[in-house]
Amino acid sequence: MTAYVADPVYLNGRFLPLAEAGISPLDRGFLYGDGVYEVIPVYSRRAFRIDEHLQRLQATLDGIQMANPLSAEAWQAVVLKLIETAPWDDQSIYLQVTRGADDKRDHAFPPASVPPTAFAFSSPLVTTPAAVRAKGVAAITVPDLRWSRCDLKVVSLLANVLARQQAVAQGCAEALLIRDGLMKEGAASNIFIVKDGVLIAPPKTHLMLPGITYDVILELATAHQQPLAVREITETELRAADEVWMTSSTKEILAITTLDGNPIGNGRPGPYGEQMWQWYQDFKNTVMRKG
Ligand code: PDD
């Protein structure tokens, strides 16, 4: 076990220590990035929206024509066992499936006899410290260099990796991806803006990952009668927004307060983001932690 990965991990039907979990260097996840993944937050040892995460995993597998090695019930059992044996109450469960390892290298799919590789582990879920939240974080914009199936949660993440690294190299927390003048999402998060009291969310298209947290935010906005528009956000609107937030299973809701070195709004986290964060915390504590 490391400070980050709990033992045991799950690999191809077995639970074993991370140090003993090995896969072939011919695995197509390694050779081609030919695989899919999920990240599921766990609160008080309860997996949050596991059905939705497993449905998104299935949708991604369908999208890349890969059979799911486990039924939804079998995945649930794997996740449950990882949660039970990990030392933390709040966790982040990572699932990955690749198209397995053939005995040769060929871009086209391997024969059906080649089994997929299924891997899963638990890490501690570390939420953003209050001091960081109080200040908000800095972000940059970069051109969206990804392919055109960004709705699939695949492990081929090189464009996301390079975008995020560009942000980190400039002391920023996230890179916002601009395609054809529109802001689609972050390198590893969905992005919302607020303008004149209206929460604006980009629509789910093949150019954005359908975030599970994104859905929770739309639900909370609707439940609390927060004015909401689901529509494309131009780069110009992004820069002129009163508030910009990033959201993900691990980051929850985090205000972006500077963009490319310029303040968003007054340069401080705004009231709408604070309110949504509070609704999210209430929801987490009353619903997510109680199952
Ligand atoms: N990333 N968009 C992208 C490109 C992402 O990678 C993620 C999450 C999201 C938010 O999705 P969700 O709300 O379901 O976490 C949006 C995960 C956390 C990751 O890659 O680690």
Side-chain angles (χ1 to χ4, degrees), residues 49-118:
R49 299 221 160 167
I50 186 167
D51 292 342
E52 287 81 351
H53 280 279
L54 292 177
Q55 281 159 17
R56 187 171 64 182
L57 182 76
Q58 186 62 55
T60 298
L61 286 166
D62 292 345
I64 67 164
Q65 301 167 58
M66 197 187 291
N68 196 331
L70 297 180
S71 66
E73 294 70 34
W75 275 121
Q76 299 250 12
V78 167
V79 170
L80 214 66
K81 167 119 180 171
L82 290 173
I83 291 173
E84 276 170 15
T85 47
W88 315 288
D89 286 343
D90 289 2
Q91 305 172 28
S92 168
I93 301 288
Y94 180 87
L95 311 179
Q96 179 169 331
V97 183
T98 77
R99 218 182 299 268
D102 200 356
D103 54 6
K104 63 178 184 306
R105 183 172 177 278
D106 181 350
H107 287 60
F109 295 174
S113 56
V114 171
T117 302

Side-chain angles (χ1 to χ4, degrees), residues 1-23:
M1 151 153 188
T2 69
Y4 179 78
V5 176
D7 279 339
V9 300
Y10 171 85
L11 182 64
N12 297 332
R14 297 172 56 211
F15 289 91
L16 70 179
L18 177 67
E20 291 168 28
I23 59 165

Side-chain angles (χ1 to χ4, degrees), residues 274-289:
E274 270 303 299
Q275 176 66 82
M276 184 56 77
W277 183 84
Q278 196 54 58
W279 287 335
Y280 195 88
Q281 298 310 308
D282 293 346
F283 183 68
K284 196 168 95 177
N285 292 329
T286 56
V287 180
M288 300 187 198
R289 288 189 189 282

